[in-house]
Amino acid sequence: FDLAPYDGPGCRVASLDLYWEPVTPADVTVLVQVVDKFGQPVVTSRSQFEAAGPLIDMHFLPLIETLPAGQYGLLVSVADRGGEPSLPENTGERLVLGSAVLVGDLWVRPSPPPSGAGSGLSPEPVATFENDIVLRGFRLDKTRVESGDWLRLTLYWQAVSPVSEDLTVFTQLLDGDGRVHGQQDNPPRSGSYPTIMWQPGEIVSDDYLLKIDPAAPPGRLYLHVGLYRPDSLTRILTTTGSDHVEIAEITMTE
C-alpha cells in the first residue's frame, strides 16, 4: 500500500492506494477505517471489485478540521459480496485485529495556530533549547489570580530540525523562595502530538491549565517553562545554559 496526504484547497485528505493480487478470481468488498486510540472509527471508505489479477484499489480519507491531532490506526478488512469476512492469516508482519489488519499508522498534524496581533506568537524566539526546539511565544488568559484559581496557558513551539526523542513539557508557578504553587507536566498536546512527530518549521500550539495552590501567599508568582526527558527527568538546557525559561510574572491577590 501507499499512503500520502492530498493537498487540496481547504482539505485534509489522506490518499490510500491498496495493491491487491487475488490468488483466485475475487468478488469482494474492501473496508478501510481510520480508528482513534480507543479503536473507534473516525473515517470509513469502502470499495467493491471483481478481480482475476493484480489491481490498484484507491481510497480517499477526508479528515475533518475538528479531528484532534495525534496518532490513528489504519485498518483494512475484506469480505465477500454477502458480507462474510475473509479472515487474514497472521504472518507476524502486521497486527491482526479480528477480521482486520492494522496496516499502519496515520498521524494527523494540528492546524496552524492563528497569527497576528494578540496571537501570542513573538517575532523573536522567547527561548531556544539545545535540541533545536524554539519557544516562539505564549498566551495567558490573565496575569492576576486568586487563591484556588485556574490559569490557562498556551505555548507555541517550533522545531528547527527533526527531534529525535520524546520530551515532556513542564510548567510551574513558583514564589520568590522557589516553592511551587501550581504545576502541569505532560508531553505536548497532552501526549497526542509528541516531539518526534514535529516537522521542521511547524508551529505547535500546546495548552495547559494550572490550578493555583489555595495556600499560595499573596504577591508575585513566576511562571517557569521547560522540557525534560521523562525516563531520566533530565532537563533540556537552553542555549544560555538555563534549565528553564521564566516567561511571565503573575500577581497573587489577597
Side-chain angles (χ1 to χ4, degrees), residues 51-101:
L55 60 84
I56 302 175
D57 176 25
M58 294 181 291
H59 295 260
F60 293 96
L61 307 169
L63 309 174
I64 59 174
E65 291 298 324
T66 56
L67 190 67
Q71 184 180 17
Y72 293 80
L74 196 59
L75 295 179
V76 175
S77 58
V78 176
D80 62 24
R81 287 295 175 94
E84 185 67 25
S86 176
L87 298 180
E89 178 184 351
N90 192 340
T91 64
E93 295 182 6
R94 304 283 177 181
L95 181 63
V96 174
L97 302 171
S99 61
V101 176

Side-chain angles (χ1 to χ4, degrees), residues 146-149 181 211-217 252:
E146 300 176 353
S147 174
D149 208 348
H181 295 286
K211 172 74 171 177
I212 310 299
D213 183 359
M252 181 72 186

Side-chain angles (χ1 to χ4, degrees), residues 109-229:
R109 305 195 184 283
S111 300
S115 59
S119 67
L121 286 169
S122 173
E124 298 295 328
V126 177
T128 301
F129 292 82
E130 288 183 340
N131 54 2
D132 278 347
I133 291 180
V134 177
L135 182 60
R136 281 289 313 275
F138 65 92
R139 187 172 58 193
L140 288 166
D141 68 336
K142 52 194 163 189
T143 56
R144 297 178 67 87
V145 296
E146 300 176 353
S147 174
D149 208 348
W150 293 89
L151 180 67
R152 296 181 182 274
L153 166 67
T154 300
L155 301 173
Y156 296 103
W157 302 101
Q158 187 175 40
V160 178
S161 59
V163 182
S164 61
E165 55 186 341
D166 283 328
L167 300 174
T168 297
V169 178
F170 69 87
T171 61
Q172 294 179 323
L173 278 171
L174 299 92
D175 62 21
D177 296 324
R179 292 173 296 195
V180 177
H181 295 286
Q183 179 167 346
Q184 184 185 350
D185 292 20
N186 53 244
R189 297 182 70 93
S190 299
S192 69
Y193 198 54
T195 52
I196 59 170
M197 291 304 302
W198 293 1
Q199 298 298 296
E202 175 186 30
I203 296 177
V204 178
S205 61
D206 190 20
D207 295 326
Y208 293 83
L209 186 61
L210 286 77
K211 172 74 171 177
I212 310 299
D213 183 359
R220 291 183 178 178
L221 297 175
Y222 304 92
L223 182 55
H224 288 190
V225 171
L227 299 156
Y228 64 85
R229 297 181 177 93

